Amino acid sequence: MPDNALSTPVYFDEHADLGILKDKCVAVIGYGNQGRAQALNLRDSGINVIIGNIEDEYREKAIGDGFKVYSISEATRKSDIIMILIPDEIQPEVFNKDILPNLSENQVIDFATGYNIAFKDITGLNPPEFVDVIMIAPRMIGVGVRESYLSGEGFFSFVGIYQDHSGSAKEILLALAKAIGTTKKGAIETTFEQEAHLDLYTEQVFGPAFGNVLRNSIKVLLDEGYPPEAVLVEIYMSGELSFTLKEMAEVGIVEQMDFHSPTSQYGSLTRGANYIDPKLPEIMKKSLKEIQSGKFAREWARAQKRKKDPLKPLKEAAKNIPLVQIEKQVREKLRIKPKDI
Ligand code: NDP
């Protein structure tokens, strides 16, 4: 493993001063998962926040929460800092149509992911040189951003500066990060590219590889005749796995083993080597190269242009495997109530 020298800055509350935001107006564009959470946290931190949203139920929600809501163009004109919290796929179109023509010198644009800037030649989102461009990318879903602010725990994020026209981008970035609640836990400095690559890597490499191990583990047991109800609960449906992952994050990969029985520890420590596949890192590197080179971003852009809903056939195919049918029956039998998503 290369010796990466832990030299990346990590910012905490004491590194940020909210004073720089005192006379500023922040426009949160989009009032969805991240938009609502970040807007409420900013307001509770004493920041002047307005919302920019199209006419729909999210707009009504923002009004219900007591915010002044404007069109995206108007919110852009009225504010000093514009936080773009709409889905990534629509950002280039909305930016070019509603935000770009209304920008003025020294405004600040904040993104919650580096994707559209990291791949700007593909996405077509090019901020003008007369604004600051910063990023606060939470490693947390919107509900968690709000709940961890209220509990005082905070949440991790990746923060970065793409463009510092005003000369104050860093102070503004850190103040916003503090007001949202992320410096309470830790804001880790990355470039926009690093953030986007890491995000895509988790989605395209770790996630599918882990999913494949999970499915194979289930298949072996079902093929051997073990009861599906017990197999699914054993492997993931009990929720024990998520506790283990949480313990890993909190105490360490090896240290969390102390929460398990000596039999469990002996078994996993002596059998782990059976699953070392020397080909796996090579396959993972190949996927990373596709991410770094923009091959994935180009493919995704083409897929969105070609079909109205490119995800639909992929999701249908994913649902069309025997495990999904078994899972449905087991969930019903175990009276696991469907959750609204
Ligand atoms: P959501 O899907 O929750 O955003 C919904 C918001 O976008 C609503 O206000 C919606 O308003 C608006 N919107 C949707 N379509 C349009 C459109 N065509 N024109 C104008 N507004 C539109 O987004 P997220 O909160 O999930 O993501 C926002 C940003 O945060 C993204 O950059 C994402 O990568 C990042 N992020 C998200 C995380 C998450 O957990 N979800 C975690 C970390 C970062 P309307 O209904 O009116 O269209």
Side-chain angles (χ1 to χ4, degrees):
M1 191 164 285
D3 176 22
N4 294 347
L6 292 187
S7 55
T8 295
V10 180
Y11 302 104
F12 298 98
D13 275 355
E14 69 267 24
H15 298 114
D17 180 358
L18 293 187
I20 196 163
L21 301 178
K22 195 163 62 77
D23 300 317
K24 305 252 188 261
C25 174
V26 177
V28 169
I29 308 295
Y31 202 70
N33 291 310
Q34 287 294 330
R36 178 167 193 258
Q38 295 197 22
L40 292 170
N41 291 3
L42 287 167
R43 185 171 68 185
D44 287 354
S45 295
I47 311 299
N48 176 21
V49 183
I50 60 170
I51 308 296
N53 208 87
I54 53 176
E55 307 264 344
D56 76 343
E57 64 191 81
Y58 289 95
R59 184 188 188 91
E60 296 310 312
K61 186 143 190 119
I63 292 169
D65 285 340
F67 285 106
K68 286 197 174 132
V69 186
Y70 302 92
S71 70
I72 294 176
S73 317
E74 207 178 347
T76 302
R77 283 194 296 272
K78 280 183 179 303
S79 59
D80 304 288
I81 298 167
I82 299 130
M83 303 183 69
I84 303 188
L85 296 172
I86 54 179
D88 299 332
E89 302 76 43
I90 58 155
Q91 283 179 15
E93 190 191 333
V94 172
F95 183 84
N96 290 328
K97 188 163 73 63
D98 299 321
I99 298 176
L100 184 58
N102 295 297
L103 286 176
S104 51
E105 182 156 11
N106 285 335
Q107 276 180 308
V108 181
I109 317 249
D110 167 75
F111 290 93
T113 165
Y115 189 95
N116 279 312
I117 295 291
F119 299 109
K120 65 182 173 22
D121 296 341
I122 299 162
T123 62
L125 197 162
N126 278 300
E129 50 77 34
F130 58 79
V131 296
D132 292 352
V133 181
I134 61 173
M135 168 184 76
I136 304 172
R139 266 35 210 164
M140 183 59 81
I141 59 170
V143 175
V145 165
R146 181 61 181 154
E147 282 177 0
S148 62
Y149 177 92
L150 291 173
S151 72
E153 187 192 349
F155 56 92
F156 285 121
S157 67
F158 296 164
V159 297
I161 298 169
Y162 170 72
Q163 200 165 279
D164 183 8
H165 178 76
S166 69
S168 314
K170 186 162 180 188
E171 287 78 5
I172 291 174
L173 171 70
L174 294 182
L176 273 182
K178 183 173 185 174
I180 292 165
T182 175
T183 47
K184 184 76 74 196
K185 182 105 171 178
I188 300 160
E189 189 174 300
T190 70
T191 64
F192 280 53
E193 281 83 8
Q194 287 169 338
E195 191 281 336
H197 295 175
L198 291 173
D199 198 29
L200 294 173
Y201 184 86
T202 307
E203 293 160 3
Q204 295 176 31
V205 179
F206 177 70
F210 179 78
N212 203 31
V213 167
L214 188 125
R215 282 192 299 276
N216 272 317
S217 305
I218 293 170
K219 183 175 182 322
V220 166
L221 292 173
L222 294 181
D223 288 351
E224 287 287 320
Y226 289 90
E229 299 89 328
V231 169
L232 268 56
V233 166
E234 178 63 35
I235 300 290
Y236 73 99
M237 229 178 235
S238 67
E240 190 183 345
L241 182 61
S242 51
F243 278 101
T244 300
L245 288 171
K246 194 164 175 289
E247 297 305 339
M248 263 189 202
E250 283 173 9
V251 302
I253 293 172
V254 175
E255 285 77 359
Q256 64 79 29
M257 293 187 95
D258 290 346
F259 296 116
H260 302 269
S261 70
T263 312
S264 154
Q265 293 181 43
Y266 179 79
S268 51
L269 287 168
T270 54
R271 280 8 186 215
N274 290 344
Y275 302 98
I276 296 173
D277 177 354
K279 282 198 226 113
L280 201 54
E282 287 311 312
I283 300 170
M284 291 172 156
K285 267 187 207 156
K286 190 167 172 266
S287 289
L288 180 60
K289 291 269 174 279
E290 286 187 7
I291 292 167
Q292 291 168 332
S293 67
K295 187 172 181 225
F296 170 77
R298 276 191 293 278
E299 178 188 319
W300 177 221
R302 272 199 306 274
Q304 289 173 85
K305 271 201 193 109
R306 223 181 291 130
K307 283 204 183 99
K308 195 165 172 288
D309 186 358
L311 283 183
K312 202 169 169 215
L314 295 169
K315 279 190 176 167
E316 291 302 323
K319 279 186 195 152
N320 216 2
I321 59 168
L323 175 59
V324 172
Q325 289 314 314
I326 298 168
E327 186 192 44
K328 194 164 176 278
Q329 291 162 16
V330 170
R331 291 175 70 81
E332 274 165 21
K333 187 159 172 202
L334 298 182
R335 303 180 187 173
I336 299 173
K337 291 199 182 68
K339 198 172 160 184
D340 283 341
I341 46 171

